[in-house]
């Protein structure tokens, strides 16, 4: 129980070491099983080879004597030969058959050929005389591998026990080395990393290790972490300076924007929902900032006729800049503004309308006054022109009457002169 608790604790405290231990045990077990199987197969083949070698030797040495005893019907000699063969390990039965297949001599357990686990080894008996070789019978040797398997089984248990003990000691030794050389230094680095803050970037990371001080992989890692720490410190310093410069730039831009009469605005491209309006909108148009965000759409602040015109422009210029002089509604009052904008696309693929509102009410009023003066002047000119045309007509008529009177006067003078000449 104590060892099991220590293993559970070690697994929780050192997951990497636990994985190494599992890998070592699994790999060692696999290799042990593979080598054990190979060794057992080699032992099995060696035992079979030894049995076959002894049988070959028996055949080579005793075949001639068994053949002679068989030819001479020497039963005692045959039994003696068979008893000698039965002394060999794994031999269960030996029998001699004549040329007709009848059993002449039999020693051992009665077995039948073809039974499971029975191996039969036979050699023929040929008698040689002047007439040539004559087949007189054969020797059947039946043996099993039970003793071989029993020996292999005992051997495998010994091998597995030996290899298990070896794996246990090797795993414990490797785990001890791993824990000392890797787990403990990594734990030190982890504690330093957890305690590190931006204020501690000046403090170098170190490993408290005994023994050799040469740069190994862990020391290279520590050096790299220290270089990263210094780079991070420098980057943070640059970031702080950039942040300060950006803040100053934003303040300047805000002051510049708020000091102009151009009011920036941002609205959603789909709904025209207002997302931002410049703070100077109240001073420029007299509408509180909260009132700007209250309607559901920025367009609701404009005159309906101008909204329709703006929508027509957006249809024609969907991806271009647009500009429109329109009327801004504030209660019962209106204010002329220059409405400028364009469609923008942000990094998150959201489409927005962004632009400026500029108060042109004074300019429009001046334009309206100039237009009114122009209309009055044109009417006056038209009236004066009509009067002059009338006077010209009257003068032309008087001129015609004067010319007619002159002609009549000349005619009268001529008649008078003729009358005087006639009286004279």
């Amino acid at each position: 129980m104590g060892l099991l608790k220590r293993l559970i604790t070690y697994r929780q405290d050192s997951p990497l070491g636990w994985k190494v231990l599992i890998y070592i045990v699994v790999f060692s077990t696999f290799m042990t099983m593979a080598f054990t199987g190979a060794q057992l197969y080699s032992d099995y083949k060696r035992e079979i080879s030894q049995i076959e070698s002894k049988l070959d030797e028996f055949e080579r040495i005793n075949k001639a004597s068994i053949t002679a005893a068989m030819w001479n019907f020497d039963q005692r000699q045959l039994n003696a030969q068979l008893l000698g063969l039965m002394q060999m390990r794994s031999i269960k039965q030996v029998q001699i058959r004549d040329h007709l297949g009848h059993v002449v001599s039999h020693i051992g357990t009665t077995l039948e050929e073809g039974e499971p686990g029975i191996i039969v080894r036979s050699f023929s008996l040929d008698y040689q005389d002047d007439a040539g070789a004559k087949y007189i019978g054969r020797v059947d040797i039946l043996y099993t591998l039970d003793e071989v398997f029993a020996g292999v089984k005992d051997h495998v248990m010994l091998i597995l026990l030996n290899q298990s003990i070896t794996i246990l000691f090797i795993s414990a030794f490797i785990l001890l080395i791993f824990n000392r050389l890797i787990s403990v230094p990594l734990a030190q680095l982890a504690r330093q990393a957890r305690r590190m803050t931006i204020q501690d970037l000046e403090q170098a990371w170190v490993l408290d290790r005994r023994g050799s001080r040469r740069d190994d992989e862990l020391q290279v890692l520590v050096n790299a972490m220290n270089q990263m720490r210094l780079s991070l410190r420098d980057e943070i310093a640059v970031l702080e300076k950039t942040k300060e410069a950006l803040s100053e730039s934003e303040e300047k831009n805000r002051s510049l924007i708020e000091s102009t009469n151009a009011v920036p605005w941002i609205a959603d491209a789909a709904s025209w929902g207002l997302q931002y309006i410049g703070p100077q909108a109240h001073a420029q148009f007299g509408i509180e900032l909260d009132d700007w965000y209250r309607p559901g759409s920025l367009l609701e602040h404009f005159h309906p006729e101008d909204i329709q015109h703006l929508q027509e422009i957006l249809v024609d210029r969907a991806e271009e800049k647009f500009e429109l002089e329109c009327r801004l509604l504030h209660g019962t009052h209106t204010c002329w503004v220059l409405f400028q904008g364009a469609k923008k696309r942000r990094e998150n693929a959201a489409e927005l309308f962004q632009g400026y509102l500029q108060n042109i009410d004074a300019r429009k009023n001046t334009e309206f006054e100039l237009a009114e003066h122009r209309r009055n002047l044109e009417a006056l000119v038209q009236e004066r022109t009509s009067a002059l045309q009338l006077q010209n007509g009257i003068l032309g008529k008087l001129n015609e009457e004067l010319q007619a009177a002159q002609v009549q006067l000349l005619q009268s003078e001529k008649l008078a002169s003729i009358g005087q000449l006639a009286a004279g």
Side-chain angles (χ1 to χ4, degrees):
M1 292 297 293
L3 179 60
L4 181 60
K5 290 182 178 179
R6 293 181 64 180
L7 286 176
I8 295 175
T9 303
Y10 182 77
R11 180 183 180 182
Q12 295 175 350
D13 296 340
S14 182
L16 185 60
W18 178 260
K19 289 182 180 179
V20 172
L21 176 61
I22 295 298
Y23 290 151
I24 292 173
V25 171
V26 171
F27 180 75
S28 301
T29 302
F30 174 77
M31 296 304 296
T32 297
M33 297 300 294
F35 289 139
T36 301
Q39 185 174 355
L40 292 177
Y41 181 75
S42 176
D43 293 344
Y44 169 77
K45 297 297 289 185
R46 185 178 67 253
E47 293 289 339
I48 297 297
S49 178
Q50 288 178 357
I51 294 174
E52 292 291 335
S53 297
K54 289 180 181 180
L55 292 178
D56 290 339
E57 184 179 1
F58 176 84
E59 179 183 356
R60 180 176 55 82
I61 296 174
N62 300 297
K63 182 176 181 180
S65 61
I66 295 175
T67 302
M70 184 69 177
W71 179 259
N72 296 321
F73 298 103
D74 189 351
Q75 188 68 36
R76 182 181 298 178
Q77 179 66 22
L78 291 177
N79 292 336
Q81 293 287 348
L82 297 184
L83 285 174
L85 183 59
M86 286 294 298
Q87 301 302 316
M88 295 177 57
R89 191 179 64 156
S90 301
I91 303 299
K92 301 299 180 182
Q93 175 184 313
V94 182
Q95 62 185 7
I96 299 176
R97 296 178 181 269
D98 60 14
H99 66 287
L100 298 177
H102 300 147
V103 177
V104 176
S105 180
H106 175 276
I107 295 180
T109 306
T110 302
L111 299 174
E112 295 293 337
E113 296 183 16
E115 292 185 9
I118 301 300
I119 301 176
V120 180
R121 170 71 181 271
S122 301
F123 60 88
S124 63
L125 300 175
D126 300 316
Y127 182 75
Q128 187 76 27
D129 60 6
D130 295 338
K134 297 180 180 179
Y135 173 75
I136 62 174
R138 74 173 189 271
V139 177
D140 295 332
I141 305 170
L142 284 71
Y143 65 92
T144 65
L145 300 179
D146 295 340
E147 296 181 5
V148 175
F149 290 148
V152 170
K153 183 178 180 181
D154 296 338
H155 196 193
V156 72
M157 296 303 296
L158 181 61
I159 293 175
L160 290 178
L161 179 61
N162 183 28
Q163 293 296 331
S164 299
I165 296 175
T166 303
I167 291 174
L168 178 62
F169 280 101
I170 291 177
S171 300
F173 180 70
I174 294 177
L175 188 62
L176 179 63
I177 295 176
F178 180 85
N179 185 66
R180 180 179 178 83
L181 297 181
I182 298 179
S183 294
V184 172
L186 287 180
Q188 293 182 17
L189 293 178
R191 286 193 295 269
Q192 296 183 54
R194 282 194 295 266
R195 292 195 301 263
M196 188 186 70
T197 61
I198 296 179
Q199 291 75 19
D200 299 330
L201 291 178
E202 296 293 339
Q203 184 177 357
W205 289 24
V206 294
L207 282 178
D208 184 13
R209 295 190 295 173
R210 300 176 183 177
S212 177
R213 297 298 180 182
R214 292 183 301 175
D215 287 346
D216 54 10
E217 288 82 352
L218 286 175
Q219 189 60 43
V220 171
L221 175 62
V222 172
N223 296 336
M225 295 299 292
N226 282 322
Q227 292 178 0
M228 184 185 69
R229 173 182 56 82
L230 296 177
S231 300
L232 182 61
R233 180 198 62 185
D234 297 338
E235 292 294 335
I236 290 177
V238 173
L239 183 61
E240 290 294 336
K241 293 181 180 179
T242 304
K243 185 177 179 180
E244 293 177 359
L246 181 61
S247 179
E248 294 178 359
S249 177
E250 289 179 350
E251 187 64 28
K252 291 179 181 179
N253 291 335
R254 186 180 298 106
S255 301
L256 179 62
I257 291 175
E258 293 178 358
S259 62
T260 62
N261 59 351
V263 181
W265 58 269
I266 300 176
D268 181 73
S271 64
W272 277 95
L274 187 64
Q275 298 183 0
Y276 173 77
I277 189 72
Q280 67 271 38
H282 174 61
Q284 290 290 328
F285 308 114
I287 302 176
E288 297 290 342
L289 294 180
D290 293 339
D291 295 336
W292 280 98
Y293 294 99
R294 186 167 294 118
S297 170
L298 174 64
L299 300 182
E300 295 182 14
H301 289 286
F302 296 99
H303 196 279
E305 295 179 359
D306 297 334
I307 294 176
Q308 183 179 359
H309 189 195
L310 176 60
Q311 290 175 343
E312 293 174 356
I313 293 177
L314 291 178
V315 171
D316 296 335
R317 304 178 183 179
E319 301 297 333
E320 300 179 7
K321 295 181 180 180
F322 58 87
E323 182 176 308
L324 175 66
E325 293 181 354
C326 53
R327 289 161 290 180
L328 188 68
L329 298 178
H330 178 41
T332 58
H333 304 285
T334 60
C335 176
W336 280 94
V337 295
L338 180 62
F339 189 51
Q340 300 172 312
K343 183 179 289 187
K344 303 291 183 180
R345 186 183 299 274
R346 289 187 173 178
E347 296 180 355
N348 58 0
E351 292 185 346
L352 301 172
F353 282 122
Q354 182 176 348
Y356 295 91
L357 284 172
Q358 188 174 357
N359 191 334
I360 59 172
D361 196 56
R363 179 170 66 83
K364 293 297 291 185
N365 290 334
T366 302
E367 291 178 359
F368 291 149
E369 291 178 359
L370 290 176
E372 183 66 23
H373 289 314
R374 186 179 298 110
R375 287 193 297 272
N376 294 336
L377 181 59
E378 290 176 354
L380 181 61
V381 170
Q382 184 67 29
E383 182 181 353
R384 295 295 178 85
T385 301
S386 299
L388 290 175
Q389 290 177 351
L390 180 60
Q391 293 293 330
N392 288 335
I394 295 174
L395 290 176
K397 187 176 181 180
L398 291 176
N399 187 30
E400 291 177 358
E401 292 178 354
L402 180 59
Q403 289 179 356
Q406 289 178 349
V407 171
Q408 186 177 3
L409 180 60
L410 290 175
Q411 191 68 27
S412 299
E413 289 179 353
K414 288 180 180 181
L415 291 176
S417 297
I418 293 175
Q420 290 178 2
L421 291 175

